Amino acid sequence: MRPAKDFFAPLAVGAPAPPREIPARPSRAIHFFDPGNEKMAAKVPAMVGTVDVLLGNLEDAVKAENKEKSRQGLVDIGKATDFGPTQFWTRINSLDSPWVLDDLTTLVPEIGHKLDVIMVPKVQGAEDIHYVDRLLAQLEAKAGLDRPILVHAILETARGVANIEEICAASPRMQGLSLGPADLAADRRMKTTRVGGGHPGYVVRQDPVKDDLGVPQYDAERTSYQQDLWHYTIARMVDACAMHGIYPYYGPFGDIKDTVACEDQFRNAFLLGCVGAWSLHPVQITIANKVFSPSVEDVAHARRVIAAMGDGTGAVMIDGKMEDDASVKQCQVMVALAEELAEIDPELKKAYDAIEVTA
Ligand SMILES: CCC(=O)SCCNC(=O)CCNC(=O)[C@H](O)C(C)(C)COP(=O)(O)OP(=O)(O)OC[C@H]1O[C@@H](n2cnc3c(N)ncnc32)[C@H](O)[C@@H]1OP(=O)(O)O
Ligand SMILES: O=CC(=O)O
Ligand SMILES: [Mg+2]
């Protein structure tokens, strides 16, 4: 563990200073594309400005024989594209793979000045982040970069979940964490074969009704409620990220056609504190942009509470509900997010600006 006095020191002579704070940049959808897939790659320039993050994926979902093609495709896209307001990320191959060293030693000199964040899969503990941190510093120094590339870890092993705190605290470059439900399910030996989302077998069931004599009727109709398999991990991730001033994300939702359940999963993550989710197909960008933007009703209510609370202390009644110092802070979170998003999304700005704050 580095002592506090060295924590923000560059890890290589000539490397840019690591950030003291991770800026809250909108990242409702992290849109995955395979830079080696011509059809997908061709769509990327037109997606700039329509999605908060474009991520060139080099890891899982890219065939082993295409790894080099995808890496080169990413370099070409990085060089040719003006990303404007859209962030440009990549997911490198896992640290135990034969490809990751070439990923890093190619991408940083070639397009390091364009890359905002490098997503590292299958992170097990602080040692993985320390390795990437030092190597990035050396490569940034060699390439003469003046801005540090941030690091995002995917939480997709049982060990990674157990070490979540030390992963978040491992480097000032840490930007955030994503839940990787597919690899995590495999690593934990969970018995779901789905990529994220719920499972019809994971339910709680209403107690049996009793007859007039108080005997439970086990065979009578009962309601059951499907539960969220990912609640525990997302909640852990949200707490760890909030504690360390970095950002939590829900990961992939593999049932592309089930846009309704995808919206539900994303909304659960939003309500619990996540700032975004992955999009695997263009249709999921629309869902994430909608879900991870506060609704006009929520923003209107939040502004009303803030206005009524004056200096933010004390208690007031609004529509029969008590509001006080704590609930005004919840409202400030909502309004701050709305303001960030309004800066990059003209439609949202129009909708939020049209809100009239009533007493
Ligand atoms: C599970 C753990 C993980 O690691 S998840 C992250 C790794 N997986 C990924 O990155 C998957 C990314 N997505 C994909 O590969 C494709 O979207 C999959 C799911 C295979 C579906 O592709 P496909 O059958 O072509 O869909 P489609 O016919 O509906 O496509 C219509 C047009 O849109 C394109 N498209 C598709 N996906 C993307 C994308 N992610 N980004 C940009 N464009 C995309 C397709 O190429 C197709 O284009 P066209 O209309 O034929 O020109
Ligand atoms: O990489 C993502 C996952 O779910 O695995
Ligand atoms: Mg994975």
Side-chain angles (χ1 to χ4, degrees):
M1 182 90 161
R2 275 187 280 169
K5 72 180 178 48
D6 294 338
F7 190 64
F8 293 101
L11 290 180
V13 175
R20 298 240 155 205
E21 202 175 315
I22 302 298
R25 294 185 68 183
S27 41
R28 294 165 291 182
I30 302 172
H31 181 70
F32 275 59
F33 66 94
D34 174 356
N37 175 319
E38 284 85 6
K39 274 190 179 174
M40 279 195 208
K43 293 197 161 40
V44 167
M47 294 174 106
V48 168
T50 68
V51 61
D52 296 342
V53 179
L54 280 164
L55 179 146
N57 175 38
L58 304 181
E59 200 223 12
D60 293 355
V62 174
K63 283 182 88 60
E65 70 217 38
N66 290 338
K67 293 289 184 185
E68 285 177 19
K69 184 178 176 207
S70 291
R71 187 191 299 132
Q72 187 53 49
L74 186 64
V75 168
D76 296 343
I77 289 170
K79 284 185 173 169
T81 311
D82 175 358
F83 289 94
T86 297
Q87 296 182 59
F88 181 42
W89 296 22
T90 185
R91 178 170 79 169
I92 56 172
N93 284 288
S94 62
L95 298 181
D96 59 356
S97 75
W99 306 291
V100 66
L101 192 58
D102 287 343
D103 290 345
L104 288 167
T105 56
T106 305
L107 297 177
V108 177
E110 295 275 9
I111 53 169
H113 58 296
K114 292 272 189 85
L115 277 173
D116 293 294
V117 176
I118 289 182
M119 184 182 272
V120 185
K122 302 176 178 66
V123 171
Q124 301 272 22
E127 70 279 10
D128 289 342
I129 302 299
H130 293 158
Y131 168 79
V132 173
D133 200 8
R134 177 77 74 175
L135 184 54
L136 280 179
Q138 292 167 339
L139 292 168
E140 287 168 347
K142 193 168 172 209
L145 299 190
D146 54 14
R147 183 181 64 117
I149 300 169
L150 302 183
V151 170
H152 181 108
I154 314 181
L155 208 56
E156 50 185 350
T157 66
R159 183 141 80 88
V161 177
N163 291 332
I164 191 166
E165 303 293 342
E166 64 169 50
I167 292 170
C168 292
S171 161
R173 288 181 198 270
M174 280 301 298
Q175 180 275 344
L177 295 180
S178 283
L179 172 74
D183 272 302
L184 184 56
D187 194 65
R188 277 179 175 162
R189 297 171 179 274
M190 289 168 71
K191 304 302 180 295
T192 165
T193 54
R194 299 176 172 202
V195 174
H199 193 288
Y202 194 67
V203 298
V204 289
R205 192 173 299 274
Q206 182 192 12
D207 275 4
V209 287
K210 292 181 180 157
D211 68 10
D212 294 343
L213 301 172
V215 179
Q217 302 297 296
Y218 295 111
D219 294 332
E221 185 88 8
R222 294 192 249 171
T223 309
S224 71
Y225 299 92
Q226 198 172 316
Q227 305 292 297
D228 184 358
L229 283 174
W230 306 109
H231 178 85
Y232 156 77
T233 318
I234 295 176
R236 272 205 81 175
M237 197 174 70
V238 167
D239 282 344
C241 286
M243 173 179 164
H244 290 280
I246 67 175
Y247 302 100
Y249 299 77
Y250 177 77
F253 188 90
D255 194 343
I256 309 286
K257 297 281 179 225
D258 194 350
T259 51
V260 174
C262 177
E263 182 167 334
D264 292 338
Q265 181 80 70
F266 284 7
R267 185 164 291 106
N268 289 347
F270 174 67
L271 289 170
L272 278 179
C274 289
V275 299
W278 298 4
S279 143
L280 305 183
H281 186 280
V283 74
Q284 293 184 337
I285 296 175
T286 317
I287 303 172
N289 282 355
K290 173 179 161 196
V291 169
F292 289 97
S293 307
S295 69
V296 167
E297 294 71 35
D298 280 345
V299 176
H301 172 75
R303 287 196 190 150
R304 197 169 158 213
V305 173
I306 291 169
M309 280 292 294
D311 72 354
T313 64
V316 294
M317 278 282 266
I318 295 182
D319 297 339
K321 297 191 181 72
M322 189 279 303
E323 308 286 349
D324 71 0
D325 312 44
S327 64
V328 80
K329 287 182 196 146
Q330 293 173 262
C331 293
Q332 283 157 355
V333 168
M334 196 72 80
V335 168
L337 175 59
E339 284 169 3
E340 279 159 24
L341 294 174
E343 275 182 33
I344 57 130
D345 189 326
E347 286 296 310
L348 274 181
K349 180 170 166 40
K350 216 163 93 188
Y352 294 150
D353 282 353
I355 296 170
E356 278 180 39
V357 179
T358 50

